[in-house]
Amino acid sequence: MAARQTRSPPKITPALVAAHGLKPDEYERLKSLIGRPPKFTELGIFSAMWNEHCSYKSSKIHLKTLPTKAPWVIQGPGENAGVIDIGDGLACVFKMESHNHPSYIEPYQGATTGVGGILRDVFTMGARPIACLNALSFGAPSHPKTRQLVGGVVAGIGGYGNSFGVPTVGGEVRFHTRYDGNCLVNAMAVGIAETDKIFYAAASGVGMPIVYLGSKTGRDGIHGATMASAEFDDDSDEKRPTVQVGDPFSEKLLLEACLEIMAKDCVIAIQDMGAAGLTCSAVEMGAKGDLGVTLELDDVPCREAGMSAYEMMLSESQERMLMVLKPEKEKEAEAIFRKWGLDFAIVGKTTPTKRFIVKHNGATVADLPIKELGDEAPVYDRPHVESPKLPVVKAVDVLAPLNTGDALLKLVGSPDLCSRRWVWEQYDHVILGNTVQRPGGDAAVVRVNEGPKALALTADVTPRYCEADPFEGGKQAVAEAWRNLTAVGAKPLAITDNLNFGNPERPEIMGQLVGCIHGIGEACSALEFPVVSGNVSLYNETNGRAILPTPTIGGVGLLDHFEKSATIAFKAGDQAILVIGETKGWLGQSIYLRDICEREEGAPPPVDLAAERRNGDLVRTLIVEGAVTAVHDVSDGGLLVAVAEMAMASGIGAELETPPMAAHAFWFGEDQARYVVTVDPGIAGRILDRAKAAGVPAREIGTTGGDALVISGERAVPVAKLRERFESWFPAFMGGAHP
């Protein structure tokens, strides 16, 4: 180890600069900002702060167009997490982030550290985490690596969340060949705090001690943020050392210690050591507070001997925080951390200089302008081209290769529509005792502090729509999240997003990103559903093959009383089944067209945001009034899949009327802004009249009852057979059966 301490830093060459992810013009910009060539550690610091993952240099100008304000928004984008007011002096703190590249290289640790990182983002703000969600995208089931990735990622999410002690209550899983070389692992965490006890990252006061908290620093994760800002190639497995190792038990101790020192009023500012570790956390705290920071690396707790300044500054070891402490509270804060068995070390101080100075072994290894490290990062308005409009697929041009019942059985047993029970049963979704609605419905519902209020939580996106038409796909992702929250009776309040795309230096990929952001912005404005936090993950491609554009939307809504939340299961026989919203039989980009007709083509269904709002507001009102007995939004697979899911959730069948158009278009079209609801037959007429008065299309399509789905003129499909198909694919696949 001693040899590592005495080894001279490498000479800075164009090849070394390129290895740090900096383009030649960016390196020249760096030199002009500091007035000289950088030292080796300084190059590493700039590499960390100017990479895509930390600087948002390709997306920043477009992200600024998103609506981020509302009367209930306390903190929008720019902090560790977003914060919204949920009444009674309480706030909901939430965010979503990606851990895509690490999870592909080392699925278990990549997923665990993704969960750990997003939990820290939430409790850094002073919130106690109450729930986690995730959105997972894997390659084709037939790809040789898919099964291993699914198993490792799901085990990692469960291993961390279960051990930490927070329920994983919802999410989504998809399969598509475009994710073969680059899976997506998006993790979302939600917490509760008091509105007057939110903690922020901006340092204040000169000469204030900067304290290192949590676990020791090791060599894991070095250049993790830089790796996340590059595409994969055939040698990606060599990047395994850049994947961090998580310890949920240490993080649980860190949570309790942080909340305790916050309650004792010890904290001026606090920042999670996430991407780029000590570098990013120290720079952001100083820059946000218009202050300088001096760090003494000799005082940083290390778990490995002989670590260089470069390694310490870029390590992404987990379960660490940086805090600006009130000086008079130093002994009290240290005693609390020692009690929890965690490291506590004063490693620096705030200064008035606006310089970022790093010292190690008596030498100054970095002396940089702190504001320029973040504020002067390159910002690109990259060339982008709009995706070409695809033709509308007309129902008359789609021949139905299977009868309705056989098509339904095939769809509910397909990789994208089958039950995710195999996944969510590995997560503890009831720990803490406040989970009202478990995975499997439209949105999770979690009680707030064991009171009557509850939060509804969801994560949604339809990547095939985003690829076909980024603008409409972006709108639809937000509308789908809004519908899922509405379907359980919640008022949608705000979103966090995770924008996963390929290489932004390709104009067609940049066009997808820009189109989706514009669609998201338009939907958020129309639905009063602002963006309060988020993450951008670019360069998700391997050997030039990009993922599907996947702008995941995490939605949060509020119910005044958890007992009034609606569920998808039919409740009894002889209930009228109504469809709220207009059915035109839109088959373009539908699961039916892709999986039954083997045609992945056409324009996606258009999203009428005014109709979304009208239809959703009516459904939510009916839920609050107790007028509906079951509710389910219509999404992938269309109307008949939604009805089948309601039947499978209850074991109760339904008798359905002859459709007013071609059966495959009516039952499997994916028109937007629709819900299936059940009501007592005596009030069905009144509900239809109310819908008409509100300008909302609605029709009765059948009655619940029996043990099969019976469509007029078609062969009956037993609910038990549907359920067997629905539940069997995932366990069979993970057990080694071919898909």
Side-chain angles (χ1 to χ4, degrees):
M1 286 295 185
R4 290 186 82 112
Q5 288 181 293
T6 58
R7 189 172 61 194
S8 298
K11 182 181 178 182
I12 295 178
T13 63
L16 187 66
V17 170
H20 280 73
L22 293 170
K23 301 278 173 43
D25 59 324
E26 293 174 338
Y27 182 65
E28 293 304 316
R29 180 189 183 94
L30 181 167
K31 288 196 296 183
S32 68
L33 281 172
I34 66 175
R36 56 177 171 79
K39 301 173 184 177
F40 180 54
T41 299
E42 291 174 330
L43 178 66
I45 289 169
F46 267 100
S47 166
M49 293 303 299
W50 283 15
N51 66 54
E52 194 74 59
H53 191 76
C54 294
S55 72
Y56 295 89
K57 58 191 176 186
S58 295
S59 56
K60 187 177 288 186
I61 63 171
H62 303 289
L63 295 174
K64 287 180 178 179
T65 66
L66 292 171
T68 60
K69 300 184 185 303
W72 52 89
V73 174
I74 296 172
Q75 175 64 52
E79 273 289 341
N80 285 296
V83 186
I84 57 173
D85 193 328
I86 59 172
D88 300 320
L90 296 176
C92 175
V93 180
F94 64 103
K95 189 181 182 183
M96 181 185 290
E97 280 213 351
S98 60
H99 234 220
N100 304 335
H101 285 57
S103 297
Y104 186 79
I105 294 169
E106 174 42 69
Y108 185 89
Q109 293 297 346
T112 64
T113 49
V115 174
I118 199 65
L119 285 167
R120 285 195 304 280
D121 281 340
V122 165
F123 70 76
T124 300
M125 303 289 292
R128 180 172 289 277
I130 64 166
C132 285
L133 298 90
N134 53 76
L136 312 177
S137 302
F138 298 106
S142 57
H143 189 274
K145 196 166 182 176
T146 298
R147 188 179 289 109
Q148 174 222 343
L149 289 172
V150 174
V153 165
V154 171
I157 291 169
Y160 205 100
N162 299 353
S163 301
F164 179 83
V166 65
T168 300
V169 297
E172 60 175 3
V173 183
R174 72 179 50 82
F175 297 90
H176 194 281
T177 186
R178 291 275 291 283
Y179 302 102
D180 285 349
N182 200 128
C183 65
L184 301 184
V185 176
N186 295 172
M188 177 177 170
V190 182
I192 298 295
E194 296 179 36
T195 53
D196 60 350
K197 293 186 175 68
I198 307 296
F199 290 83
Y200 299 96
S204 64
V206 172
M208 296 297 156
I210 295 174
V211 184
Y212 174 111
L213 309 169
S215 299
K216 289 180 169 59
T217 294
R219 290 191 172 96
D220 53 325
I222 294 171
H223 283 306
T226 303
M227 176 192 70
S229 304
E231 58 189 89
F232 281 154
D233 54 29
D234 291 331
D235 299 321
S236 293
D237 278 354
E238 295 177 7
K239 297 177 180 177
R240 198 173 298 272
T242 63
V243 178
Q244 313 93 316
V245 177
D247 180 353
F249 301 105
S250 293
E251 179 130 329
K252 175 65 172 174
L253 299 176
L254 184 62
L255 162 72
E256 299 300 343
C258 283
L259 293 183
E260 188 170 341
I261 63 169
M262 289 169 173
K264 299 285 189 181
D265 196 28
C266 300
V267 179
I268 294 173
I270 188 164
Q271 177 75 31
D272 163 41
M273 282 195 228
L278 193 54
T279 289
C280 196
S281 55
V283 169
E284 286 189 5
M285 289 175 76
K288 285 179 178 177
D290 265 346
L291 293 168
V293 166
T294 296
L295 294 181
E296 296 281 356
L297 296 188
D298 295 349
D299 298 322
V300 171
C302 293
R303 68 168 181 260
E304 299 181 50
M307 289 189 70
S308 68
Y310 179 95
E311 289 171 326
M312 279 190 266
M313 291 306 296
L314 296 185
S315 166
E316 293 185 9
S317 295
Q318 296 291 286
E319 292 85 39
R320 301 180 301 159
M321 298 281 200
L322 207 61
M323 179 180 74
V324 179
L325 180 70
K326 293 181 178 179
E328 69 275 14
K329 295 281 190 175
E330 179 184 326
K331 295 300 181 186
E332 186 176 7
E334 182 173 4
I336 290 169
F337 266 77
R338 299 296 183 204
K339 178 186 75 174
W340 288 101
L342 296 166
D343 278 299
F344 177 101
I346 295 176
V347 297
K349 63 182 179 181
T350 59
T351 70
T353 63
K354 298 185 183 178
R355 303 288 297 179
F356 184 49
I357 297 173
V358 182
K359 298 180 178 180
H360 187 229
N361 292 337
T364 297
V365 295
D367 185 350
L368 302 168
I370 199 165
K371 297 285 282 185
E372 285 78 352
L373 273 170
D375 296 350
E376 293 298 324
V379 176
Y380 296 121
D381 184 0
R382 294 196 185 278
H384 57 274
V385 295
E386 188 174 336
S387 299
K389 296 295 182 184
L390 299 179
V392 173
V393 175
K394 297 178 181 178
V396 295
D397 295 329
V398 177
L399 298 177
L402 298 175
N403 65 45
T404 302
D406 288 342
L408 177 63
L409 284 166
K410 183 171 181 179
L411 289 175
V412 300
S414 67
D416 272 6
L417 294 181
C418 72
S419 170
R420 270 59 181 138
R421 184 183 302 274
W422 183 92
V423 174
W424 57 257
E425 281 190 339
Q426 297 188 52
Y427 306 150
D428 190 334
H429 46 271
V430 296
I431 194 169
L432 302 180
N434 286 319
T435 305
V436 178
Q437 285 204 39
R438 305 178 184 189
D442 284 318
V445 177
V446 180
R447 288 175 72 183
V448 176
N449 291 358
E450 300 180 357
K453 283 188 175 180
L455 295 174
L457 310 170
T458 189
D460 297 284
V461 65
T462 310
R464 63 186 186 278
Y465 292 175
C466 296
E467 167 115 319
D469 188 327
F471 178 68
E472 288 296 327
K475 284 164 58 180
Q476 193 273 342
V478 174
E480 172 72 9
W482 196 85
R483 275 201 303 275
N484 280 343
L485 301 176
T486 293
V488 298
K491 176 176 173 51
L493 291 180
I495 71 165
T496 181
D497 58 35
N498 203 145
L499 308 180
N500 308 274
F501 291 82
N503 184 345
E505 296 169 50
R506 293 165 54 193
E508 68 275 16
I509 299 295
M510 194 64 209
Q512 292 175 347
L513 175 62
V514 172
C516 283
I517 290 174
H518 288 171
I520 290 167
E522 183 162 308
C524 288
S525 294
L527 300 173
E528 289 189 279
F529 201 27
V531 184
V532 298
S533 60
N535 172 246
V536 177
S537 176
L538 304 180
Y539 297 94
N540 288 290
E541 55 183 76
T542 300
N543 293 327
R545 189 189 194 206
I547 61 163
L548 292 175
T550 311
T552 309
I553 303 296
V556 174
L558 182 66
L559 295 104
D560 290 331
H561 205 296
F562 72 90
E563 289 183 340
K564 290 190 174 181
S565 67
T567 61
I568 73 170
F570 291 150
K571 302 302 183 294
D574 297 321
Q575 300 258 299
I577 304 171
L578 311 181
V579 178
I580 307 296
E582 187 174 11
T583 299
K584 295 181 178 179
W586 193 283
L587 289 171
Q589 295 300 328
S590 66
I591 295 274
Y592 178 88
L593 190 68
R594 188 189 72 189
D595 290 3
I596 303 299
C597 303
E598 299 182 350
R599 294 171 56 182
E600 198 165 352
E601 62 185 81
V607 179
D608 182 335
L609 294 167
E612 289 282 0
R613 187 154 187 174
R614 279 194 305 272
N615 300 2
D617 287 349
L618 173 65
V619 169
R620 195 180 314 107
T621 300
L622 295 174
I623 293 171
V624 171
E625 293 175 356
V628 291
T629 53
V631 182
H632 193 10
D633 93 303
V634 180
S635 57
D636 282 350
L639 183 54
L640 192 57
V641 168
V643 172
E645 288 170 344
M646 299 172 85
M648 289 186 289
S650 62
I652 299 170
E655 188 167 331
L656 303 173
E657 297 178 356
T658 303
M661 63 181 73
H664 62 298
F666 183 78
W667 292 125
F668 302 114
E670 295 183 6
D671 305 273
Q672 300 296 292
R674 293 186 298 164
Y675 304 79
V676 177
V677 304
T678 56
V679 301
D680 291 332
I683 66 168
R686 292 204 302 275
I687 300 296
L688 292 172
D689 289 343
R690 284 181 63 178
K692 185 176 181 180
V696 174
R699 62 180 292 133
E700 185 170 350
I701 62 165
T703 306
T704 62
D707 59 5
L709 290 188
V710 181
I711 304 171
S712 180
E714 299 266 3
R715 177 170 51 84
V717 183
V719 174
K721 189 173 184 180
L722 283 168
R723 188 182 279 166
E724 188 276 328
R725 290 286 183 93
F726 184 61
E727 297 288 354
S728 64
W729 187 88
F730 229 113
F733 172 64
M734 294 309 298
H738 292 294

